[in-house]
Amino acid sequence: LSRTQREKVFLEERQAVLWEARKQAHFPLENAYWSYRTVQREREGHKKTEVIFVAILRSLLDRQVALFLQAGVPLSGVTLGGFGYGDLLPVVPREETEAVGLLEISPKNSYFTLYGKNGMEFSREFSSIGLKPSDLEAGALAQFLEPLTVEVLSSLDFFQAQVSGRRVVRLFLA
């Protein structure tokens, strides 16, 4: 397919996904950040495309991101945990002197991973100190962020001391 044809197919797919998502979403998608992935499946000779659709209210995510920024975590973007590495691939540095980071927060453990030109270069696991999805209210997350920020920043310092001349150019939250 030509570039124009691929763009047309992509736009048609996006419109179809959004049309179906609007019917199933519990809030207006105009007030949300949303994304989707398609997964091609073949079962018994029949091709099928499954869609994974995620959405979050802008007000909720903006409040959470603001907490990270206020805590001094220099975020470049936000992604869904399961899509994190796939979303990072296009921005993985091509230069030896650069790295990008992914901070994944989950209820039991959080993970901080740095990727460079040749793949994963550093990984650290932190306890999420019993953080539950219901704790993602501003107050509970703010209490959790202070020790997490200290851990992430000390990990960055450690990484940069171990690999002289390397700098983290972007940090993503999942």
Side-chain angles (χ1 to χ4, degrees), residues 50-88:
E50 293 182 14
V51 176
I52 302 168
F53 184 88
V54 294
I56 186 170
L57 287 171
R58 289 180 189 269
S59 59
L60 178 61
L61 184 60
D62 289 347
R63 187 173 59 228
Q64 305 304 338
V65 168
L67 289 171
F68 279 89
L69 295 175
Q70 289 169 2
V73 179
L75 292 179
S76 294
V78 178
T79 184
L80 183 65
F83 300 146
Y85 186 68
D87 287 344
L88 283 184

Side-chain angles (χ1 to χ4, degrees), residues 2-148:
S2 71
R3 180 179 174 166
T4 305
Q5 290 170 322
R6 285 192 311 267
E7 287 175 0
K8 183 180 178 188
V9 168
F10 171 76
L11 288 174
E12 288 173 358
E13 174 187 90
R14 182 178 164 94
Q15 289 173 340
V17 168
L18 191 54
W19 180 78
E20 183 64 31
R22 280 193 172 111
K23 293 191 308 184
Q24 297 184 33
H26 298 286
F27 48 83
L29 294 178
E30 292 74 21
N31 299 333
Y33 295 110
W34 57 271
S35 184
Y36 73 94
R37 299 291 191 275
T38 57
V39 179
Q40 304 299 321
R41 306 249 190 228
E42 187 167 339
R43 193 180 236 169
E44 301 172 8
H46 294 84
K47 291 184 179 181
K48 180 180 179 182
T49 301
E50 293 182 14
V51 176
I52 302 168
F53 184 88
V54 294
I56 186 170
L57 287 171
R58 289 180 189 269
S59 59
L60 178 61
L61 184 60
D62 289 347
R63 187 173 59 228
Q64 305 304 338
V65 168
L67 289 171
F68 279 89
L69 295 175
Q70 289 169 2
V73 179
L75 292 179
S76 294
V78 178
T79 184
L80 183 65
F83 300 146
Y85 186 68
D87 287 344
L88 283 184
L89 284 177
V91 296
V92 168
R94 305 294 183 248
E95 302 293 324
E96 290 287 339
T97 59
E98 297 178 342
V100 294
L102 177 62
L103 175 60
E104 298 176 81
I105 298 177
S106 66
K108 288 188 177 184
N109 296 306
S110 295
Y111 304 91
F112 180 61
T113 310
L114 295 172
Y115 298 92
K117 180 179 179 180
N118 299 315
M120 185 173 69
E121 297 184 344
F122 177 84
S123 185
R124 181 139 183 236
E125 180 179 348
F126 313 110
S127 167
S128 292
I129 42 182
L131 185 68
K132 299 181 290 296
S134 61
D135 291 336
L136 292 180
E137 299 167 16
L141 187 59
Q143 292 173 343
F144 168 71
L145 275 180
E146 186 176 331
L148 180 65

Side-chain angles (χ1 to χ4, degrees), residues 138-156:
L141 187 59
Q143 292 173 343
F144 168 71
L145 275 180
E146 186 176 331
L148 180 65
T149 300
V150 169
E151 293 289 347
V152 169
L153 294 176
S154 68
S155 294
L156 282 170

